[in-house]
């Protein structure tokens, strides 16, 4: 990139502001006060995300040699309350399947939910890793171990259309041809397209699920709001399994966690399961039956 700006050139390097002012010794105290005030107004996740973005920008400016200090060094991340809402309700999953999306997205989302696999593992699948007749696929898990994921009829019905006549190379592909310099292993020999990235897959899912995540918001106001994350499909699958009485050993096998402790956050019953539990034990309902 070349040498960073010096002297008067440092003014404007940070988007119209004097980047050199970041080294002002009074700034850390000022930022700490602003961060505290911000924390009183916003939730912990938002404050932590903004702090992370700020620190990434400061780190980049330091690597360019534009500034020396980090005025956020005394600001601590805010403890976020545990999120009990990560598992989607069954009616939300049903609404997801009704969305009008491309075949690639339908197949990816179905596979993620039915297999309870991690999104990065599924996106690394190649066509030759699939065993369609057994409804399973071979993945490379954390640490490089070879493991298996299993899916159901929903995925099995979509896969042949997605694969077409391809016999190898990435399963999930981008819409356009691969850029020059893309690793050969990430390019389809038949179509010339590249492997779909986690970032792009997450963007597409988040954008398409904004209306589902914000059902009371008008379409005109939906743009700036958040949709769902791909990880929630895995979380939901494991939670729904637990609600249906799946044993702990099977949940461990499905999730491929090493310990029950790691599984606890997934095995917590969701709102629908709690509602059914309460309704089934309602004395009035029992008298009617």
């Amino acid at each position: 990139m070349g040498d960073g700006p010096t002297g008067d050139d440092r003014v404007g390097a940070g988007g119209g502001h004097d980047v050199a002012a970041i080294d002002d010794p009074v700034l850390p105290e000022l930022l700490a006060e602003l961060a505290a005030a911000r924390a009183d107004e916003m939730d912990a996740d938002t404050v932590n995300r903004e702090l992370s973005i700020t620190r990434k920008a400061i780190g980049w400016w330091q690597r360019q040699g534009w500034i020396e200090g980090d005025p956020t060094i005394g600001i601590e991340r805010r403890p976020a309350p545990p999120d009990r809402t990560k598992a989607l309700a069954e009616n939300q999953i049903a609404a997801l399947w009704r969305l009008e999306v491309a075949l690639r997205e339908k197949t990816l989302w179905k596979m993620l939910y039915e297999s309870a696999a991690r999104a990065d593992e599924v996106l690394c699948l190649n066509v030759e890793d699939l065993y369609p007749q057994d409804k399973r696929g071979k993945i490379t898990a954390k640490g490089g171990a070879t493991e298996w994921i299993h899916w159901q009829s929903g995925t099995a019905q979509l896969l042949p259309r997605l694969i077409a006549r391809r016999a190898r190379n990435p399963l999930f592909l981008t819409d356009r041809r691969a850029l020059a310099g893309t690793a050969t292993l990430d390019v389809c020999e038949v179509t010339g397209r590249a492997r779909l990235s986690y970032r792009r897959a997450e963007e597409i899912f988040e954008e398409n699920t904004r209306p589902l995540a914000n059902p009371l918001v008008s379409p005109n106001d939906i743009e700036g709001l958040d949709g769902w994350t791909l990880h929630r499909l895995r979380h939901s699958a494991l939670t729904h399994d637990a609600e249906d009485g799946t044993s702990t050993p099977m949940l461990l096998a499905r999730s491929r966690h090493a310990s029950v402790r790691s599984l606890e956050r997934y095995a917590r019953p969701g709102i629908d399961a709690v509602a059914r539990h309460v309704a089934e034990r309602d004395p009035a309902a029992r008298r009617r039956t």
Side-chain angles (χ1 to χ4, degrees):
M1 181 176 291
D3 295 333
T6 57
D8 293 339
D9 290 338
R10 296 174 75 184
V11 178
H17 301 283
D18 185 356
V19 177
I22 293 177
D23 283 328
D24 191 320
V26 304
L27 188 58
E29 183 177 353
L30 176 61
L31 282 182
E33 294 176 358
L34 291 174
R38 182 70 169 161
D40 290 337
E41 299 174 355
M42 305 298 295
D43 61 275
D45 286 337
T46 299
V47 173
N48 290 338
R49 183 170 61 250
E50 291 175 348
L51 179 60
S52 177
I53 292 171
T54 301
R55 283 177 170 162
K56 285 181 180 178
I58 288 172
W60 190 81
W61 290 332
Q62 287 174 326
R63 290 192 295 274
Q64 310 313 305
W66 299 348
I67 62 174
E68 295 180 359
D70 179 357
T72 70
I73 199 163
I75 302 175
E76 297 182 356
R77 291 174 60 85
R78 298 283 165 169
D83 185 357
R84 305 300 190 196
T85 63
K86 284 187 177 180
L88 300 171
E90 291 180 2
N91 67 321
Q92 292 176 306
I93 293 292
L96 178 66
W97 304 148
R98 292 193 295 268
L99 290 179
E100 293 294 330
V101 295
L103 173 63
R104 179 187 65 190
E105 275 62 58
K106 287 182 181 179
T107 309
L108 174 62
W109 302 350
K110 276 280 186 181
M111 182 177 284
L112 289 175
Y113 180 71
E114 292 184 353
S115 68
R118 299 175 180 86
D120 55 344
E121 296 171 340
V122 169
L123 289 167
C124 285
L125 278 172
N126 290 334
V127 176
E128 61 267 30
D129 297 326
L130 308 180
Y131 293 74
Q133 69 279 9
D134 299 320
K135 297 179 184 175
R136 69 178 62 165
K138 184 170 58 176
I139 62 166
T140 302
K142 289 182 177 179
T146 298
E147 297 180 348
W148 295 90
I149 62 171
H150 305 261
W151 52 81
Q152 299 168 327
S153 297
T155 302
Q157 292 170 1
L158 295 169
L159 273 175
R161 294 167 52 200
L162 181 71
I163 296 171
R165 291 190 294 270
R166 295 185 294 133
R168 56 186 303 105
N169 301 134
L171 174 60
F172 295 101
L173 301 171
T174 55
D175 295 321
R176 299 179 180 179
R177 291 184 65 84
L179 297 174
T182 303
T184 303
L185 293 176
D186 290 328
V187 178
C188 173
E189 299 168 352
V190 176
T191 65
R193 291 183 285 159
R195 187 186 304 276
L196 181 66
S197 70
Y198 185 101
R199 180 191 60 78
R200 181 58 183 146
E202 183 84 302
E203 286 177 351
I204 294 171
F205 187 67
E206 191 274 336
E207 181 177 348
N208 278 279
T209 57
R210 284 176 192 168
L212 302 182
N214 306 278
L216 301 181
V217 178
S218 71
N220 294 332
D221 299 325
I222 207 76
E223 185 64 30
L225 300 179
D226 293 332
W228 297 332
T229 62
L230 288 172
H231 179 72
R232 294 185 72 174
L233 293 175
R234 169 176 164 84
H235 194 115
S236 302
L238 294 171
T239 297
H240 296 163
D241 274 0
E243 292 170 352
D244 291 339
T246 301
S247 68
T248 297
M250 183 58 70
L251 286 173
L252 281 171
R254 282 265 282 162
S255 66
R256 289 172 287 111
H257 280 300
S259 68
V260 175
R261 186 176 182 84
S262 300
L263 188 64
E264 286 178 352
R265 65 182 182 276
Y266 297 108
R268 183 180 297 274
I271 185 171
D272 287 343
V274 174
R276 285 196 300 269
H277 173 83
V278 173
E280 288 168 359
R281 286 155 179 77
D282 187 335
R286 289 181 177 181
R287 286 195 296 270
R288 287 196 298 270
T289 58

